[in-house]
Amino acid sequence: MASILDEYEDSQNIRHPAQQHTRLSASNIGITHSGFVNVRLEEEKPIFNKQRIDFSPPEKINHFTVCNNQLCMSLGKDVLLRIDLGKPDQPNQIELGRKDDSKVHRLFLDHTGSHLVISLSTNECLYLNRNTQKVRALSRWKGHLIESVAWNKLLGTEASTGPILVGTSQGLIFEAEISATEGSLFNTNPDQYFRQVHALEEDGQPAPVCCLEVERGVDSKCFIIATTRKRLFQFVGKVPEGSEQQGFSSIFSQNQELFPSFQEFPVNMGYSEITFYTPKLRSCPKAFAWMMGNGVLYGQLDYGRPDSLLSDVQVWEYTPDIDFSYNKPLSIVLTQFHFLLLLPDRVKAVCTLNGQVVHEDVFPDKFSPLKRMIKDPAGGLVWIYTEKAVFRYHIQREARDVWQMYTSMNKFDLAKEYCRDRPECMDIVLAKEAEHCFQNKRYLESAKCYALTQNYFEEIALKFIEVKEEEALKEFLLKKLNNLKPAEKTQITLLVTWLTELYLNRLGHLESSGAEGTLLQEARHEFRGFLSSPRHKECFYNNRGTIYDLLASHGNVDDMVYFSVIMQDYERVISHHCQHDDYGAALEVLSKHCDDKLFYKFSPVLMQHIPKKVVDAWIQMGKRLDAKRLIPALVNYSQIGSAQQINESIRYMEFCVYELAVTDEAIHNYLLSLYAKYRPNSLLLYLQQAGTHASEIHYDLKYALRLCAEHGYLQACVLVYRIMELYEEAVDLALQVDVDLAKSCADLPEDDEELRKKLWLKIARHVVQEEKDVKKAMNCLSSCNLLKIEDILPFFPDFVTIDHFKEAICGSLEEYNRHIEGLKQEMEEATESAKRIREDIQEMRNKYGVVESQEKCAACDFPLLNRPFYLFLCGHMFHYDCLFQEVSPHLSAYKQTKLEELQKKLAATVQPARSRHRPKDEDTVSLGMGQLSREQIKSDIDDIIAAECVYCGDLMIRSIDKPFIDPQKYEQEKSSWL
């Protein structure tokens, strides 16, 4: 018994002929062509694959149930066997402990596989929890033969069932609840309560409640389905919020006033059974099948309906080979597309889509008659048992042939839903749908379907051409085009060209027939949408010449312009507008796409006709345009054009100079030429704003001078001369215009007094000789402090009296007198200063300082008297070598070089003095001279290194911004600290 589910015996795996006959093929559907070759490499396994469990029960199997991989069976009179299918090697056998003649009537296992209710033939009930070995009696249930139980899927747990419904053989429906926990001292029963909520009848008599089912819908709506032998009842009610624990009493009380909804069938075979199909675990059932006397009632469950849960109900009548006298149906199981009907010796599988028997499995007589069939909603397996054996059905790929059935029923959407992962089947469905639509003259739908198939392209296209359906043909070509891969360039090109021709034909037909404006507009909008499709942009671009030819052949100028814009062939668009004298439209295209090259090309033409708009467009472009490349357009038409063109040219040049701050010399020179020719009043203002130094201006000075001279603008010429620093020429020319202008020019060379004096003499000569105005000549003397009365007297004629110069001469004499007095004062101050200096020198000769023996060097802090040292007036004292080291780094390169030379000379004078031989007389003379030279050298060295105290002098002040560490040695010093 330990290996009950380990080993299996393969049952008959041969497909039943009934299933083969119901198979649909492509030939049955009527499809002639397909791009797929349907070749099966191996025989498909049957949908319903039966396996016998290798299990020989020690006693007869009375009842059997399975749910959530928990299997329970009743053996003999008093044995209960439990098996966890996840651990089939660990079966659990429990003795019921009954001494009377009671037998197990029914087993009921909840959806969690935790709660088992055992109904006995003696109108008693037992309870067994999955986690215990103790069978407990349900005392409140005593006296009723339980026929059905409706478990609470919402509130039921492993510890408690929650409120449940119980149906009896007398037609009574009770509400109850079972708890697995141990009760209190006074209440040890697992059943919490047991109360009647309703009673069912048939023809005025109580009828056994064969099946019960409870389901929840939307908005807290609850549906209860109960069946008797020939009636199916529905109870619909809304459970109030917060009253879940109150159970289902309110549902039945809401239906007391109205007779409950039910369906009744005349034939009664003594019992009935209902089953449900749940697509996913813990979800609501989607379909049902009720086995009763007249056949099998099956359909869908619609939880949105207000009164009835059942929808799309159909009745499958029993086949003639089913006779209630010897082979009544025993049990039923519902799958997604089939229901399995259990007969005493066989199992029939019926397709719910077409009501055909697709599988029939006959069991050998050696296993004894079949008793019941159960489906585990968790695993989806179907179990069948007899008194001696247990069988299991695996349902594999149940939906594999559903698409064929839906196709034969012309339910193509559902057929496509069930063959999405099988392209060869999808192709057949689409072809069938396309053919069906074509026969029913739904050509557009047919074209859409044909485009998705692998059928011959030419054959389909000819079909639509024959029936003169260009719209359907166009739709077919569009869909086919969208399904092509980018690598299929040839096919894409052909379809794009063909579609363009079809669109143009339709537009031409609509225009010639005088169709409504909206219809024509929609057609043109659709065509332009096709032309602008980004998916086929590359194809259009590569074949734009062909498209242009097609558009031209149909005379469709508007769409040709639109296509040119899409292809960004703006040159063609602008040329088209210019040829038709539509310069505004051409400029609009230019302004919209901002292509600078096209601006340079078409500006000459546009400037001739719409100069103001063109200049506005240039200004809008701003720095994106190179103004130099627009000068040809300006020069050409400003010379021969109207005043408006000239004004617009000046406006754009001013924009470039003043707004964009363009520095190109050509722009400034051209603006100068325009000012000189047409706006002389603006010329001088421009020259003044351009700058007063040659480094600030951007025009050619020589060109500007020549231009101003040619047109006789003397004041402008003076301004240019001033910028060129030709002051003499500027003064000479300014004297022809205005003396004040000449005076302003004469003061410009501030650093050259001689030149200034010369320029002012020119002005004075001009005033005296040309204007003969003595007053102005005298004003020149007051304006320039470089001129004296004696400088301008030669310019006056001999007959001028002294009275004219009286004031000037007196003023000059007074100036000379003041100058002499100043010189006297300076001489006295210099004499006094020299006297004080001589006194300071005499005082310094007698000044001395006292050095104590314990004094130390300010630099090295060692005793001072050990080596030669310096003493400064500030009190700091340094060794000679220490002071040398402190001062050297701060000396200039010149002084450092000079110091090195003096040290070398000093070292050279020391060598003769160290000679061991006594020098001769002549050597003595040279030595004496060397001593004098040596003293001079030491004095020069002192002048360099001891000129001032290194701590108190200017040297320290100048070095305040120098870093303590030489930047070149900083990294080396930094690394030494790490």
Side-chain angles (χ1 to χ4, degrees):
M1 186 173 294
S3 61
I4 180 171
L5 296 177
D6 288 346
E7 299 179 0
Y8 304 99
E9 290 183 5
D10 293 338
S11 61
Q12 298 178 1
N13 292 330
I14 302 176
R15 198 177 294 239
H16 196 272
Q19 185 173 352
Q20 294 180 353
H21 288 307
T22 57
R23 274 294 186 79
L24 298 177
S25 63
S27 59
N28 300 128
I29 300 175
I31 306 303
T32 56
H33 300 294
S34 176
F36 293 95
V37 179
N38 190 10
V39 178
R40 295 181 181 177
L41 300 180
E42 59 182 13
E43 184 179 359
E44 291 184 350
K45 294 182 179 180
I47 296 177
F48 304 99
N49 185 14
K50 182 180 71 177
Q51 295 173 331
R52 183 193 171 193
I53 307 301
D54 184 17
F55 167 61
S56 298
E59 297 184 64
K60 294 182 180 180
I61 301 175
N62 296 323
H63 290 278
F64 181 100
T65 185
V66 60
C67 194
N68 198 23
N69 286 334
Q70 300 296 318
L71 186 149
C72 299
M73 65 175 71
S74 171
L75 301 177
K77 177 182 177 183
D78 200 46
V79 177
L80 186 66
L81 183 65
R82 295 189 301 181
I83 300 173
D84 185 350
L85 297 180
K87 303 173 183 178
D89 295 336
Q90 302 175 11
N92 178 244
Q93 183 171 323
I94 299 174
E95 300 290 337
L96 297 180
R98 304 293 297 186
K99 304 300 183 181
D100 51 12
D101 295 334
S102 63
K103 297 180 180 179
V104 175
H105 177 64
R106 297 287 295 271
L107 295 177
F108 304 99
L109 187 62
D110 79 317
H111 62 286
T112 66
S114 302
H115 307 284
L116 177 66
V117 174
I118 307 166
S119 175
L120 302 179
S121 58
T122 56
N123 294 349
E124 295 179 89
C125 284
L126 304 177
Y127 170 71
L128 180 63
N129 190 271
R130 183 172 63 182
N131 300 323
T132 63
Q133 297 288 328
K134 182 181 179 181
V135 179
R136 304 167 67 186
L138 300 175
S139 58
R140 292 188 175 91
W141 298 36
K142 189 174 182 180
H144 300 283
L145 184 62
I146 306 303
E147 293 288 347
S148 58
V149 175
W151 301 101
N152 195 326
K153 299 177 184 178
L154 183 65
L155 301 177
T157 62
E158 294 185 2
S160 173
T161 62
I164 61 175
L165 294 178
V166 180
T168 68
S169 60
Q170 296 300 317
L172 302 178
I173 298 178
F174 291 87
E175 182 180 322
E177 183 175 358
I178 302 174
S179 175
T181 57
E182 293 292 337
S184 63
L185 179 64
F186 301 100
N187 183 16
T188 60
N189 294 330
D191 48 335
Q192 302 296 309
Y193 63 89
F194 191 76
R195 57 172 176 264
Q196 181 179 344
V197 293
H198 198 70
L200 300 181
E201 295 181 352
E202 284 182 358
D203 302 327
Q205 299 295 326
V209 183
C210 299
C211 295
L212 276 174
E213 183 73 15
V214 177
E215 294 298 337
R216 297 296 178 117
V218 295
D219 298 333
S220 302
K221 189 175 289 187
C222 184
F223 298 87
I224 300 175
I225 296 178
T227 63
T228 59
R229 292 166 296 188
K230 60 179 182 177
R231 285 186 178 183
L232 187 149
F233 294 87
Q234 294 185 70
F235 301 90
V236 181
K238 198 169 185 179
V239 179
E241 295 183 3
S243 61
E244 295 290 343
Q245 298 296 336
Q246 297 180 6
F248 308 100
S249 303
S250 60
I251 307 298
F252 291 100
S253 63
Q254 295 173 24
N255 289 267
Q256 288 296 333
E257 298 178 359
L258 300 175
F259 195 78
S261 172
F262 69 90
Q263 286 185 310
E264 183 177 4
F265 291 87
V267 180
N268 180 3
M269 65 177 181
Y271 56 88
S272 70
E273 182 175 348
I274 193 169
T275 181
F276 298 89
Y277 167 69
T278 305
K280 295 180 181 179
L281 188 63
R282 300 186 183 277
S283 64
C284 296
K286 298 299 181 183
F288 78 97
W290 179 37
M291 180 189 72
M292 41 78 183
N294 288 74
V296 176
L297 178 72
Y298 62 92
Q300 304 297 314
L301 299 179
D302 187 358
Y303 296 91
R305 299 179 67 181
D307 50 354
S308 177
L309 188 62
L310 313 181
S311 65
D312 299 333
V313 178
Q314 300 179 24
V315 177
W316 180 79
E317 297 182 357
Y318 295 126
T319 54
D321 60 335
I322 298 177
D323 190 349
F324 288 175
S325 60
Y326 67 92
N327 63 344
K328 288 194 300 183
L330 303 175
S331 188
I332 189 171
V333 164
L334 181 64
T335 64
Q336 185 177 6
F337 297 104
H338 303 83
F339 61 82
L340 302 179
L341 198 64
L342 182 69
L343 301 174
D345 61 342
R346 69 191 61 198
V347 173
K348 285 178 180 265
V350 180
C351 179
T352 57
L353 299 178
N354 53 18
Q356 296 182 4
V357 179
V358 298
H359 179 76
E360 188 169 353
D361 190 6
V362 180
F363 286 73
D365 295 336
K366 64 179 181 178
F367 298 121
S368 73
L370 305 178
K371 298 191 68 175
R372 196 159 186 267
M373 178 169 54
I374 305 100
K375 180 185 177 184
D376 184 357
L381 299 177
V382 178
W383 300 79
I384 299 176
Y385 71 94
T386 67
E387 292 181 351
K388 301 179 181 179
V390 178
F391 300 89
R392 183 170 65 183
Y393 273 101
H394 285 271
I395 302 175
Q396 299 175 340
R397 297 180 60 205
E398 183 182 4
R400 71 178 68 166
D401 296 328
V402 170
W403 65 273
Q404 294 182 348
M405 299 178 189
Y406 280 130
T407 302
S408 62
M409 298 163 63
N410 292 335
K411 295 182 178 181
F412 302 108
D413 292 337
L414 293 173
K416 287 183 282 188
E417 189 70 27
Y418 290 98
C419 62
R420 290 187 180 277
D421 56 342
R422 300 171 67 182
E424 72 282 358
C425 301
M426 179 68 79
D427 189 73
I428 295 175
V429 174
L430 289 170
K432 176 64 177 177
E433 182 181 7
E435 185 65 26
H436 176 75
C437 294
F438 191 89
Q439 292 176 357
N440 289 276
K441 297 184 179 181
R442 291 153 48 195
Y443 297 111
L444 285 176
E445 297 178 27
S446 176
K448 293 177 182 179
C449 295
Y450 269 131
L452 299 175
T453 66
Q454 299 296 321
N455 290 26
Y456 296 143
F457 173 83
E458 299 84 353
E459 179 183 346
I460 299 170
L462 287 173
K463 289 182 69 173
F464 290 115
I465 292 173
E466 288 175 357
V467 295
K468 298 180 179 180
E469 283 292 331
E470 285 195 0
E471 282 298 314
L473 176 62
K474 182 183 66 178
E475 188 68 27
F476 170 69
L477 296 179
L478 280 173
K479 292 291 183 182
K480 208 69 178 177
L481 178 62
N482 292 331
N483 293 334
L484 291 176
K485 298 177 181 178
E488 298 173 317
K489 297 184 181 298
T490 304
Q491 294 89 327
I492 292 175
T493 303
L494 290 172
L495 291 180
V496 163
T497 308
W498 193 354
L499 282 166
T500 303
E501 181 68 24
L502 290 176
Y503 275 116
L504 290 172
N505 286 338
R506 174 167 173 74
L507 287 172
H509 177 70
L510 291 175
E511 289 177 354
S512 61
S513 61
E516 296 181 3
T518 56
L519 189 61
L520 180 61
Q521 187 176 0
E522 289 177 0
R524 176 163 279 112
H525 179 72
E526 183 182 355
F527 177 46
R528 291 187 175 184
F530 170 70
L531 292 177
S532 59
S533 172
R535 182 185 180 96
H536 313 300
K537 185 175 181 179
E538 182 181 359
C539 177
F540 278 118
Y541 185 79
N542 294 333
N543 301 277
R544 58 188 183 278
T546 304
I547 304 299
Y548 281 134
D549 293 340
L550 285 174
L551 292 167
S553 65
H554 285 265
N556 197 330
V557 178
D558 294 338
D559 290 324
M560 183 173 67
V561 172
Y562 179 81
F563 181 70
S564 302
V565 173
I566 294 173
M567 294 293 104
Q568 296 183 355
D569 192 359
Y570 304 123
E571 184 176 353
R572 181 186 292 267
V573 178
I574 298 169
S575 298
H576 168 77
H577 289 312
C578 290
Q579 290 172 3
H580 292 78
D581 297 335
D582 193 356
Y583 302 105
L587 182 61
E588 184 179 353
V589 175
L590 267 177
S591 303
K592 183 177 181 181
H593 300 286
C594 303
D595 190 339
D596 54 341
K597 295 180 180 178
L598 295 180
F599 266 103
Y600 303 143
K601 181 175 182 179
F602 290 100
S603 288
V605 178
L606 298 176
M607 189 66 184
Q608 185 178 4
H609 296 88
I610 49 173
K612 185 179 185 307
K613 293 182 178 180
V614 172
V615 171
D616 290 339
W618 289 350
I619 293 174
Q620 188 70 26
M621 287 287 289
K623 290 187 177 181
R624 286 176 288 182
L625 289 178
D626 185 0
K628 289 189 300 183
R629 302 184 64 177
L630 294 174
I631 289 179
L634 296 169
V635 171
N636 185 23
Y637 295 108
S638 65
Q639 291 176 354
I640 63 174
S642 63
Q644 183 185 10
Q645 295 171 355
I646 295 168
N647 292 333
E648 294 303 325
S649 300
I650 294 175
R651 183 164 71 96
Y652 182 66
M653 289 292 99
E654 289 177 341
F655 170 76
C656 294
V657 171
Y658 298 119
E659 299 292 335
L660 300 182
V662 175
T663 59
D664 291 330
E665 188 177 277
I667 300 298
H668 289 263
N669 289 343
Y670 183 57
L671 181 58
L672 268 175
S673 67
L674 291 175
Y675 280 153
K677 292 179 181 179
Y678 306 108
R679 291 188 183 177
N681 296 331
S682 301
L683 176 63
L684 189 60
L685 180 62
Y686 167 76
L687 292 175
Q688 292 172 348
Q689 293 180 349
T692 58
H693 298 284
S695 59
E696 299 175 354
I697 64 174
H698 304 292
Y699 56 86
D700 189 347
L701 286 168
K702 296 180 180 179
Y703 173 75
L705 184 61
R706 185 172 64 251
L707 197 64
C708 296
E710 287 178 358
H711 292 81
Y713 303 137
L714 299 182
Q715 192 173 354
C717 291
V718 171
L719 188 57
V720 176
Y721 276 133
R722 290 172 57 175
I723 298 172
M724 297 174 70
E725 297 183 356
L726 300 175
Y727 301 115
E728 293 188 38
E729 291 81 352
V731 171
D732 291 339
L733 195 59
L735 290 173
Q736 301 178 24
V737 180
D738 186 16
V739 175
D740 293 334
L741 180 61
K743 290 180 180 180
S744 63
C745 295
D747 283 332
L748 290 176
E750 298 176 355
D751 299 333
D752 193 347
E753 292 186 355
E754 185 178 353
L755 179 58
R756 285 177 61 200
K757 184 176 181 181
K758 181 180 179 180
L759 297 177
W760 276 101
L761 286 174
K762 283 190 175 187
I763 297 173
R765 181 193 295 268
H766 173 79
V767 171
V768 174
Q769 295 180 353
E770 299 296 333
E771 297 186 5
K772 298 178 181 180
D773 191 339
V774 179
K775 275 189 176 182
K776 283 189 177 181
M778 293 301 101
N779 290 336
C780 290
L781 292 177
S782 61
S783 299
C784 180
N785 55 2
L786 299 177
L787 292 182
K788 306 298 180 183
I789 186 61
E790 59 268 25
D791 295 328
I792 65 171
L793 282 177
F795 303 146
F796 289 94
D798 297 337
F799 57 84
V800 177
T801 62
I802 194 69
D803 294 337
H804 293 89
F805 311 107
K806 180 180 179 181
E807 293 181 4
I809 292 172
C810 291
S812 178
L813 292 175
E814 289 176 1
E815 181 67 27
Y816 281 132
N817 189 30
R818 286 194 295 271
H819 184 62
I820 291 171
E821 290 296 329
L823 291 176
K824 286 182 180 181
Q825 184 68 25
E826 290 178 2
M827 290 174 63
E828 291 176 359
E829 291 177 356
T831 303
E832 184 66 26
S833 178
K835 181 180 178 182
R836 287 197 299 269
I837 291 172
R838 284 194 296 270
E839 291 175 355
D840 290 342
I841 293 173
Q842 186 64 32
E843 184 182 355
M844 287 296 296
R845 288 176 180 175
N846 300 325
K847 200 167 185 178
Y848 63 91
V850 178
V851 180
E852 302 291 340
S853 60
Q854 68 271 15
E855 294 290 346
K856 296 182 180 181
C857 176
C860 65
D861 206 26
F862 280 92
L864 187 68
L865 299 178
N866 290 347
R867 300 195 299 276
F869 64 90
Y870 290 95
L871 172 62
F872 291 94
L873 294 177
C874 61
H876 288 112
M877 293 169 280
F878 301 90
H879 288 128
Y880 169 79
D881 52 347
C882 294
L883 183 61
F884 185 87
Q885 291 178 359
E886 289 286 338
V887 174
S888 296
H890 301 285
L891 295 176
S892 62
Y894 169 74
K895 288 188 176 181
Q896 287 182 354
T897 304
K898 186 176 180 181
L899 186 59
E900 291 176 359
E901 292 177 355
L902 291 172
Q903 284 181 319
K904 291 179 182 179
K905 290 179 181 181
L906 183 62
T909 61
V910 174
Q911 294 298 330
R914 294 181 180 179
S915 177
R916 293 181 180 180
H917 301 286
R918 192 172 185 83
K920 296 180 180 180
D921 295 338
E922 57 273 14
D923 293 335
T924 302
V925 176
S926 64
L927 182 59
M929 294 176 64
Q931 287 290 342
L932 294 175
S933 178
R934 187 168 180 272
E935 291 298 330
Q936 183 65 36
I937 293 171
K938 290 178 66 177
S939 178
D940 294 341
I941 292 175
D942 289 343
D943 291 342
I944 295 175
I945 66 173
E948 59 182 354
C949 177
V950 71
Y951 288 169
C952 302
D954 293 339
L955 189 64
M956 180 58 69
I957 296 174
R958 290 195 302 270
S959 65
I960 193 170
D961 59 345
K962 292 185 179 179
F964 292 106
I965 302 175
D966 188 358
Q968 298 179 354
K969 299 180 180 179
Y970 178 78
E971 293 297 332
Q972 180 180 356
E973 186 70 21
K974 179 181 175 182
S975 61
S976 66
W977 282 77
L978 299 178

